[in-house]
Amino acid sequence: MTASTPLSPASTTEAALSAGDLALLRTAIAESFASRERGRHPFGALVADENGVIVARRGNNSAPPEGDPTQHAELSAAAEAVKHLTAAELARATLYTSAEPCVMCAGAIYWTGIGRVVYALSEEKLLGLTGDNPENPTFALPCREVFARGQRRIEVHGPMLEDEAAGAHEGFWQ
């Protein structure tokens, strides 16, 4: 096993992804808008198998009424994907998310064995949108840095489509 290493910035451009990847990323972004419409935090994530078939889809992030701060969209989608895919299939699966996975979600992605992440909004840009809102006390720690500490490589692409993803957050955190 080798530790993951951050990918070069060139590998994170939209041109590096297939049309299917971009469509699935836009589906995750749509989940973030739908989550907001339900009165929840505007985040969305999904897991697709190696053929692009969605096996888990979640929108949410710990806003009332449930109020469980561990139920981020990425963590919930990863946990659901484990119920549908074998370990080998998870290694070839991709988690698509409207925002860069936080430290907790990066850990969940690592431990479930998902092999690839494609995200829209960077943690840095998200922090600029949320400010110091107490409902989103984020870490300034990119998911690539979390994955780099692990014993297996997780391919990461992002940020991309940031303006599209930021739309779900505009005016939400005031």
Side-chain angles (χ1 to χ4, degrees):
M1 293 185 169
T2 60
S4 77
T5 55
L7 299 177
S8 67
S11 69
T12 63
T13 65
E14 293 172 36
L17 297 181
S18 71
D21 282 322
L22 292 174
L24 287 165
L25 184 57
R26 285 189 167 103
T27 300
I29 293 169
E31 286 292 327
S32 72
F33 280 94
S35 181
R36 179 180 177 157
E37 289 173 13
R38 291 190 308 273
R40 308 303 303 246
H41 287 176
F43 296 93
L46 61 89
V47 176
D49 70 13
E50 66 185 313
N51 298 311
V53 176
I54 297 171
V55 297
R57 179 189 304 222
R58 294 289 186 268
N60 189 18
N61 256 37
S62 65
E66 287 84 15
D68 180 348
T70 67
Q71 295 308 300
H72 289 192
E74 299 86 355
L75 187 149
S76 297
E80 182 64 24
V82 170
K83 298 175 186 175
H84 303 285
L85 299 175
T86 66
E89 290 168 331
L90 285 163
R92 296 186 304 269
T94 301
L95 184 137
Y96 297 88
T97 178
S98 64
E100 184 172 0
C102 71
V103 173
M104 176 181 68
C105 292
I109 293 162
Y110 178 83
W111 285 109
T112 58
I114 293 169
R116 186 168 178 257
V117 173
V118 177
Y119 70 88
L121 193 60
S122 69
E123 184 73 16
E124 181 180 350
K125 185 153 184 167
L126 176 62
L127 181 58
L129 293 167
T130 64
D132 63 355
N133 188 299
E135 290 185 23
N136 192 50
T138 189
F139 287 90
L141 183 59
C143 69
R144 281 181 177 84
E145 290 184 33
V146 176
F147 296 143
R149 303 294 180 138
Q151 294 180 349
R152 64 178 180 79
R153 185 175 189 278
I154 296 176
E155 181 181 334
V156 179
H157 295 275
M160 58 193 63
L161 306 179
E162 283 193 286
D163 291 339
E164 289 179 41
H169 296 271
E170 291 172 2
F172 182 86
W173 301 100
Q174 276 71 48

